[in-house]
Amino acid sequence: MNETDVVIIGAGHNGLTCAAYLAMAGLKVTVVERRKVLGGAAVTEEFHPGFRNSVAAYTVSLLNPKIIADLKLAEHGLKIVERRAQNFLPGAEGKYLLTGEGRTLASIASLSRLDAEVFPRFSQRLEAIADVLRAFVLRAPPNLVESFGGGAIREGFNALASANILRQLSLEQSRDLLDLFTRSAGEMLDEWFESDLVKALFGFDAIVGNYASPYAAGSAYVMLHHAFGEVNGKKGVWGHAIGGMGAITQAIARAAREHGAEIKLEAGVREIIVERDRATGVVLENGETLRAKYIASGVNPKLLYTRLVPAQALPNAFLARISNWRNASGTFRMNVALTAPPSFTALPGDGDHLTAGIILAPGLAYMDRAYSDARAHGWSREPVVEVLIPSTLDATLAPQGQHVASLFCQHVAPVLPDGQSWDVRREEVADLMIATVDKCAPGFADSVIARQILSPLDLEREFGLLGGDIFHGALSLNQLFSARPMLGHADYRGPLKGLYHCGSGAHPGGGVTGAPGHNAARVILGDHRALFAGRG
Ligand SMILES: Cc1cc2nc3c(=O)[nH]c(=O)nc-3n(C[C@H](O)[C@H](O)[C@H](O)COP(=O)(O)OP(=O)(O)OC[C@H]3O[C@@H](n4cnc5c(N)ncnc54)[C@H](O)[C@@H]3O)c2cc1C
C-alpha cells in the first residue's frame, strides 16, 4: 500500500495545476489519471499520420495569467500566440464580419453604421463586468454555512470581501451585472444591435457548450464567461498555444513534476475509500490502493459522487441533489486533416481571416433554430460550426502546405431521442458538419483526407465528460459561484472530510482557466497548515 499527502484524481489541467501548487508548497502529491495521455480535455494527439491537433478544447484565452506566471509555464515551454484576426463570420450575398485589432469597427460599419456607433459602448460595458468576474476568478466564492463557528466567521469575512469588490460597480454597472447573470443574450443583443452578423458574434459565445437557444434566460452569463480571458496581456483576445492545447497541460505537468509530483497514467480510480466520514484513499481500477491525507477530485462532480464515492458514505440529501447536477453541452467535436486551406465564398483565398475563429452561424434566429431542431430531431440539420485552422499559426501540427482544422459543432442532443445511439449516427452527423462548412467554402469536403469524430457519447466515454458537458456541468445560475457544485460546498470542500473539488465542477467553472485547481490548492494548504498549527 502506498501513502502520500495528496492524491489528485484526474490529470486534467485543473488537477495538474492543483498538483503543481501543492508540490511547490512541499506536499507529496500523486496524480492518478485514467487515460494514457495526461491533460484531460486540453490535450494534443496525432489523429492521422503527420497531423496533430488539440483533440477537445482548441483555443486559449481563459488560462489565468497569475497561474502562467506562478508555474513559470513559459519556462516550461508554453508559447501562446494571438490569432491575426479574432473572428470571421461569413454571411449571405458576399457579406462578412471580420474582427480583430484595428479592423473590428470598420468591418461592423460595413454592415451597419448604427452598430459601429454603439459597439464601443457595448464592449466597454461588457468589459467592466468581465473585470468584476476576473476579480472573483481566483478566490473561493462566499460559502453558505449552517452552524456558527470558525467556518461561519471565515465565510463572513469572505462575504464582506466579495461585497467590497461589487461595491466598486456604479449603480448602472450593477444593473448590467444583474442583466448578464439572468437575462438571455439574444434579448440584450437585439436591444443593442441591428446587424445579424454582429449579434451572431456575441451570440455564439452565449451558446458555446450551452445546450440552449441564445434566447434562453441565463445565456447572457455564458457570453460573459467567454469574455473574461486574455492573451499575453490583451483582454478578451483568443489565441493559440503552439503545439496545441496539450502544450498547456504538458507545461503544467513539467512544473508539477519539477517540484516532485508524481503523475500516474492508466491509473483510473474505481472507488474512494471512506473511513469514519473521511476520505482516506483511493482504489485504482487495477486494484492498487493509495492512501492520502487529502484527496482532490478533478472529475465532474456527478461522476465523483455517483460513481466513485460509495453511496452509503454520503448524506441522502446531498446525493439526491448531485444526482440531478445538470450536464448538457450539445457539442459535437471533429478534427480534420486537409490537403489545402478552405476558401470561403464571402472572402476567397488566403488571408488573416483563416487564422480566426470562423463562425458559421449567420444570426441569432439560426442559432435558435439549431437548438429547437436538435431538441426535436437529435441534431440540428443546419448546425452552428466554429472552424479553427491552427496550422495557419503553428507549423508543428501538419506537414508543410497541408492543414488541420478543429470543427466545434452545435447543437446536438447529449442523448438522442427514441433510443437511437450516437455510435450509429456519428458518421452521418460528421458528414453533415463537413457539408455545412462546404456550403460556405466549396471544395472543403474534397480537401478532407482524415477525420476524428467525438460525439457527446464519445466525449463522455473518452474524457469522463458526462453528457458530453465541456464545462463539467452547465453554467446556469443554480450551478454557479456559491452554488458550484452546491450551496454549502463552494469552498472546494465536499461533504466528506479530506475530499476536495479541484476541477471545472467547482468555481469558476469550465474552460481552460486553471482557476479551480489553483483555488482548491489554496484551501487544501490552508487546512493542512491549520492542522499542523493545531498539533504544534
Ligand atoms: C470539445 C471541447 C471543446 C472545448 N473548447 C474549449 C476551448 O476552446 N477553450 C477553453 O478554454 N475551454 C474549452 N473547453 C472546456 C475545457 O476544455 C474544459 O472545461 C477543461 O479542460 C476541463 O478541465 P478539468 O481539468 O477541470 O477537467 P478535465 O480536462 O475533464 O480532466 C479530468 C480528467 O479526469 C480524468 N478522469 C475521469 N475519470 C477518472 C477516474 N475515475 N480516475 C482517474 N481519472 C479520471 C479524465 O480522463 C480527465 O483527464 C472545451 C471542452 C471540450 C470537451
Side-chain angles (χ1 to χ4, degrees):
M1 192 192 297
N2 293 312
E3 216 159 329
T4 185
D5 289 330
V6 191
V7 163
I8 293 181
I9 306 171
H13 82 285
N14 278 312
L16 293 168
T17 300
C18 189
Y21 277 104
L22 294 174
M24 271 161 64
L27 294 190
K28 200 173 159 212
V29 182
T30 304
V31 184
V32 286
E33 165 57 47
R34 194 172 60 96
R35 297 188 77 222
K36 60 174 189 278
V37 185
L38 65 81
V43 70
T44 307
E45 290 178 35
E46 187 176 62
F47 66 99
H48 184 65
F51 293 82
R52 300 185 313 131
N53 201 11
S54 307
V55 178
Y58 55 103
T59 182
V60 59
S61 174
L62 307 176
L63 185 61
N64 193 275
K66 175 177 185 289
I67 296 172
I68 296 177
D70 286 352
L71 304 187
K72 301 189 169 57
L73 296 187
E75 284 171 36
H76 288 292
L78 180 62
K79 185 175 176 206
I80 297 174
V81 296
E82 276 174 63
R83 301 170 180 174
R84 289 196 292 276
Q86 279 294 305
N87 285 108
F88 169 55
L89 290 91
E93 295 151 12
K95 287 189 183 150
Y96 65 84
L97 175 62
L98 182 62
T99 67
E101 212 169 355
R103 51 176 121 221
T104 305
L105 273 188
S107 186
I108 293 179
S110 75
L111 299 168
S112 156
R113 282 203 171 284
L114 185 89
D115 288 359
E117 261 169 48
V118 298
F119 180 84
R121 232 174 336 123
F122 178 81
S123 304
Q124 234 170 33
R125 284 171 67 166
L126 192 64
E127 188 51 42
I129 307 302
D131 273 340
V132 172
L133 214 60
R134 285 186 188 102
F136 278 105
V137 159
L138 289 187
R139 42 180 307 129
N143 191 37
L144 279 188
V145 282
E146 277 184 317
S147 54
F148 190 77
I153 294 170
R154 186 183 57 221
E155 290 307 332
F157 281 116
N158 190 7
L160 279 177
S162 302
N164 215 23
I165 295 174
L166 292 174
R167 237 167 30 95
Q168 291 162 21
L169 293 175
S170 68
L171 186 58
E172 193 49 30
Q173 286 172 328
S174 301
R175 290 173 181 142
D176 284 346
L177 180 78
L178 182 64
D179 282 350
L180 283 163
F181 267 76
T182 54
R183 293 185 70 194
S184 82
E187 251 173 23
M188 294 180 73
L189 294 167
D190 283 341
E191 284 166 11
W192 278 87
F193 300 112
E194 59 178 18
S195 155
D196 286 338
L197 288 178
V198 176
K199 292 181 201 177
L201 172 70
F202 293 105
F204 175 72
D205 278 348
I207 60 156
V208 168
N210 182 19
Y211 187 45
S213 159
Y215 288 100
S219 56
Y221 174 76
V222 183
M223 174 173 79
L224 177 67
H225 190 85
H226 287 101
F228 72 69
E230 61 181 76
V231 167
N232 302 333
K234 291 187 186 166
K235 287 180 182 176
V237 166
W238 288 81
H240 171 73
I242 297 295
M245 297 299 277
I248 297 174
T249 41
Q250 291 296 335
I252 303 174
R254 271 182 222 117
R257 284 181 173 131
E258 184 184 76
H259 294 281
E262 185 190 6
I263 302 167
K264 285 177 180 259
L265 300 176
E266 297 185 278
V269 170
R270 194 171 65 203
E271 191 174 323
I272 311 265
I273 303 168
V274 182
E275 292 163 326
R276 276 174 274 122
D277 292 338
R278 187 175 187 94
T280 55
V282 296
V283 183
L284 300 184
E285 273 154 14
N286 67 7
E288 193 185 335
T289 297
L290 292 176
R291 295 249 170 206
K293 294 187 186 78
Y294 313 102
I295 317 284
S297 165
V299 306
N300 181 305
K302 181 170 175 180
L303 189 158
L304 171 68
Y305 288 110
T306 62
R307 300 193 190 168
L308 304 185
V309 175
Q312 68 277 11
L314 293 169
N316 289 338
F318 179 91
L319 184 57
R321 212 167 256 281
I322 207 74
S323 301
N324 290 326
W325 178 248
R326 186 166 164 265
N327 292 304
S329 263
T331 301
F332 190 95
R333 179 76 173 83
M334 295 177 68
N335 286 304
V336 287
L338 304 172
T339 52
S343 177
F344 287 86
T345 311
L347 186 55
D350 217 355
D352 289 351
H353 64 295
L354 296 186
T355 71
I358 301 166
I359 298 170
L360 307 184
L364 297 176
Y366 181 101
M367 295 178 196
D368 181 48
R369 268 199 313 277
Y371 173 65
S372 310
D373 203 22
R375 290 275 297 183
H377 177 75
W379 61 88
S380 159
R381 281 152 300 182
E382 286 190 307
V384 176
V385 180
E386 182 176 34
V387 183
L388 201 74
I389 314 163
S391 47
T392 56
L393 291 168
D394 181 351
T396 69
L397 299 177
Q400 204 184 359
Q402 300 186 300
H403 288 276
V404 287
S406 306
L407 308 186
F408 184 82
C409 316
Q410 300 179 129
H411 282 294
V412 302
V415 177
L416 288 175
D418 306 325
Q420 299 176 80
S421 165
W422 268 116
D423 286 339
V424 174
R425 296 299 195 174
R426 182 198 293 114
E427 296 293 326
E428 178 184 350
V429 175
D431 288 344
L432 168 73
M433 300 307 174
I434 288 181
T436 302
V437 184
D438 197 76
K439 260 196 225 163
C440 303
F444 177 78
D446 289 340
S447 72
V448 175
I449 50 172
R451 62 192 199 178
Q452 178 182 41
I453 308 167
L454 291 161
S455 72
L457 180 60
D458 295 322
L459 289 170
E460 172 161 334
R461 270 195 300 238
E462 191 57 44
F463 298 102
L465 297 168
L466 300 192
D469 196 303
I470 74 169
F471 298 131
H472 288 199
L475 300 179
S476 46
L477 195 52
N478 65 326
Q479 300 193 164
L480 282 173
F481 284 87
S482 303
R484 197 166 184 89
M486 200 184 290
L487 282 182
H489 296 288
D491 59 354
Y492 304 90
R493 299 178 182 91
L496 297 172
K497 288 187 208 94
L499 182 57
Y500 298 80
H501 309 138
C502 68
S504 296
H507 171 77
V512 179
T513 66
H518 164 279
N519 298 355
R522 193 147 64 191
V523 170
I524 295 168
L525 280 174
D527 287 356
H528 183 67
R529 284 176 189 138
L531 184 72
F532 281 86
R535 280 185 191 165

